[in-house]
Amino acid sequence: MKLSKSFYDRDTLKVAQGLLGKHLIFKRGRKKIVGRIVEAEAYCGLDDLASHASRGRTERNEIMFGPAGFVYVYMIYGMYHCLNIVTERKNYPAAVLIRALEIIQNPKNPSTPLRADKKQNKIIAAGPGKLCRYLGLTKKQNGLDITGDTLWVEDRGEKIAPKDVVKTTRIGVDYAKHCKDHKWRFYIKGSPSVSKK
DNA sequence: GGTTCGATCCTCT
DNA sequence: GAGGATCGAACCT
């Protein structure tokens, strides 16, 4: 079943962990592209120096200051995009960066399943930039409702036990002073599709 | 108007 | 582990 607004409108760390094992779906034309979320990071509040919101409200990060359940897509390094889902209450800037998907369908023909292929998973959607490239997400999708009919997350009944969740530091935020040490990155232990160990 | 640099990824060493 | 690709947001002057 599709996750509703209330799933996202709560503590960001809980949302990030809760998204593991859920399925992200993007309807692109007539195709439905699906991936199982295996890695996510939390970005919480104005005080999180790793977050775009730490420098205050700007045109780019505006969506992070809005209510939960909308997506924040931004361009990074001039060539990649990153997908975030906004969490928590309006005026509190927070979001979960979706960092890796396990591909469960053949990318060339989404109606057929992909055979379990660890290598292909790594190549396709292990990392936030690759994930957006795979799904076809760009800034056009910025602000989209994550509970709508174009892009959403489904619970397909899988439960990830706490012991199977690895909690560690976030990637690529060395500039964030003490905040770089927060263990706000979560991934499914043993998954072949996480971006980095 | 100019400069800096990034929530990345790939290639080469 | 280092460096390049590539560009727009953010922050100067």
Side-chain angles (χ1 to χ4, degrees):
Chain A
M1 57 174 281
K2 188 184 293 187
L3 299 181
S4 64
K5 287 276 159 64
S6 61
F7 180 89
Y8 306 102
D9 188 11
R10 59 195 176 110
D11 183 82
T12 307
L13 298 178
K14 291 206 167 65
V15 177
Q17 291 170 80
L19 282 170
L20 298 180
K22 303 293 191 291
H23 288 74
L24 179 69
I25 294 131
F26 181 47
K27 228 169 156 182
R28 198 180 166 197
R30 279 196 290 280
K31 286 183 183 171
K32 247 166 83 171
I33 309 173
V34 184
R36 176 173 171 259
I37 299 170
V38 296
E39 179 182 347
E41 287 177 0
Y43 290 83
C44 313
L46 289 165
D47 297 333
D48 180 3
L49 297 176
S51 171
H52 292 166
S54 67
R55 280 183 281 188
R57 197 168 185 151
T58 65
E59 198 174 340
R60 178 175 63 155
N61 66 27
E62 174 69 25
I63 193 75
M64 285 186 77
F65 288 78
F70 294 85
V71 299
Y72 171 42
V73 184
Y74 64 89
M75 172 170 267
I76 185 75
Y77 297 105
M79 51 175 67
Y80 297 104
H81 293 271
C82 292
L83 169 68
N84 301 255
I85 304 176
V86 176
T87 57
E88 306 199 43
R89 65 180 189 277
K90 194 179 169 192
N91 293 322
Y92 181 79
V96 172
L97 171 70
I98 310 298
R99 283 194 56 93
L101 298 178
E102 182 182 319
I103 307 308
I104 59 165
Q105 62 184 179
N106 186 332
K108 289 194 180 133
N109 184 358
S111 58
T112 61
L114 178 76
R115 285 187 318 161
D117 185 334
K118 296 178 182 183
K119 202 182 278 182
Q120 194 165 17
N121 257 300
K122 265 274 189 243
I123 294 166
I124 296 173
K130 290 195 283 186
L131 179 154
C132 283
R133 189 180 57 193
Y134 166 67
L135 291 173
L137 293 172
T138 68
K139 286 204 302 187
K140 279 185 195 150
Q141 279 73 40
N142 189 39
L144 203 61
D145 189 335
I146 192 70
T147 63
D149 296 324
T150 310
L151 181 65
W152 69 93
V153 181
E154 276 181 21
D155 185 344
R156 296 190 172 177
E158 183 181 1
K159 290 275 184 289
I160 307 292
K163 69 171 176 56
D164 292 324
V165 176
V166 178
K167 299 173 194 181
T168 183
T169 52
R170 295 172 291 180
I171 302 289
V173 296
D174 286 350
Y175 57 84
K177 302 193 178 155
H178 68 282
C179 293
K180 74 179 165 57
D181 298 321
H182 293 326
K183 294 190 171 178
W184 288 353
R185 172 174 178 239
F186 307 94
Y187 63 86
I188 297 176
K189 189 182 285 182
S191 169
S193 307
V194 299
S195 59
K196 288 182 183 175
K197 276 279 153 10

